[in-house]
Amino acid sequence: RKPEYILEGITERRLFDVMTGTIRLMAELMYGSGLRLTELLQLRVGDVDIDRRQIRVHAGKGDKDRTTMLPETLLERLRAHRVHLRALHERDRADGFPGVWLPDALERKYPKAGEAWEWQWFFPSRQLMHDPRTGIRRRHHVLEGTFQHAVKAAARLARLNKRVTPHTLRHSFATH
C-alpha cells in the first residue's frame, strides 16, 4: 500500500486536468522535475535551459546547487511561457519599473542585473508588489500561499479523497 502523500497515475492526471494556465504548468513542472516549492517559485529565466532539458537550482536545501531534468512533455509549453515572459519583461522595462530582487551581494556587485532578462522570475506575480525590505514597488514571483491554495482547490475540484499539497507532487516524482 502506498503512503497517503503519494499520487498515483490516474490521480495526478485528474488533478492536472482541473488546473489551467500557469498554475497547471507550475504543478506539472514540480511533479516532472521533483522541485521543492521554494525552488519552483524562485526559478529565474536563466535557470531553465529548455535546449538541454535541465533546470539549475541555486542554493536549494542545505544551500546546495543541483541540476534536475525538464520533462519532454512540457518543453513546448515552457517555450510558449518564456515568450509570454519576454513580452512581460519588455512591458515592465518600457514602463520604467525597477528590476527584480536579487541577493544583496549580487545586487551590490551588479546594480542593474535585476533588469536583465536572465534574472527575471520564471513564474512572476501578476501584480507589482512593495518589497518589504526597501519599499520599492517591483515584480515578485508567485507567492507560496497563492500556489498552495491553487493546488488544494484543484484537489477538491478533482474530488481527490486525500490531502494534496505542492510537496505531494515532489513525493510523487520521487516515487514514480
Side-chain angles (χ1 to χ4, degrees):
R1 195 178 104 122
K2 290 190 178 185
E4 285 296 306
Y5 56 82
I6 303 296
L7 297 177
E8 297 172 11
I10 291 173
T11 306
E12 75 241 356
R13 265 182 262 132
R14 282 178 44 206
L15 179 69
F16 297 147
D17 283 348
V18 299
M19 299 174 118
T20 59
T22 302
I23 293 294
R24 178 177 177 157
L25 182 61
M26 292 171 71
E28 288 179 322
L29 185 60
M30 192 172 187
Y31 170 74
S33 297
L35 294 170
R36 292 177 178 87
L37 177 57
T38 55
E39 294 169 348
L40 174 77
L41 298 176
Q42 294 177 6
L43 279 178
R44 309 281 184 149
V45 169
D47 297 332
V48 181
D49 189 337
I50 295 173
D51 295 330
R52 290 188 176 156
R53 296 180 51 199
Q54 295 178 340
I55 296 175
R56 286 179 301 283
V57 175
H58 300 283
K61 189 171 182 179
D63 204 29
K64 296 185 188 220
D65 294 347
R66 66 186 174 91
T67 301
T68 188
M69 66 178 136
L70 275 176
E72 179 81 31
T73 57
L74 298 181
L75 296 180
E76 286 310 310
R77 288 182 27 228
L78 289 168
R79 281 187 183 96
H81 180 70
R82 199 167 55 187
V83 168
H84 165 75
L85 292 177
R86 176 69 82 171
L88 178 65
H89 173 63
E90 289 172 1
R91 245 187 350 262
D92 282 356
R93 298 280 47 82
D95 290 342
F97 295 127
V100 296
W101 172 87
L102 295 175
D104 291 333
L106 191 60
E107 198 159 36
R108 278 192 305 275
K109 188 171 183 177
Y110 305 107
K112 294 287 188 182
E115 297 174 11
W117 165 243
E118 63 271 7
W119 285 103
Q120 301 310 298
W121 301 112
F122 201 77
F123 296 111
S125 60
R126 279 186 251 173
Q127 295 92 5
L128 299 178
M129 299 177 202
H130 287 283
D131 186 324
R133 296 173 314 118
T134 63
I136 296 172
R137 191 166 172 256
R138 60 174 51 165
R139 193 165 305 281
H140 198 55
H141 58 70
V142 170
L143 299 175
E144 277 189 33
T146 301
F147 185 64
Q148 288 170 330
H149 176 75
V151 170
K152 288 178 184 180
R156 276 193 307 278
L157 192 59
R159 298 179 183 245
L160 301 181
N161 55 359
K162 55 175 71 176
R163 185 171 175 260
V164 179
T165 67
H167 201 67
T168 307
L169 300 171
R170 178 174 160 78
H171 278 287
S172 298
F173 164 82
T175 300
H176 298 159

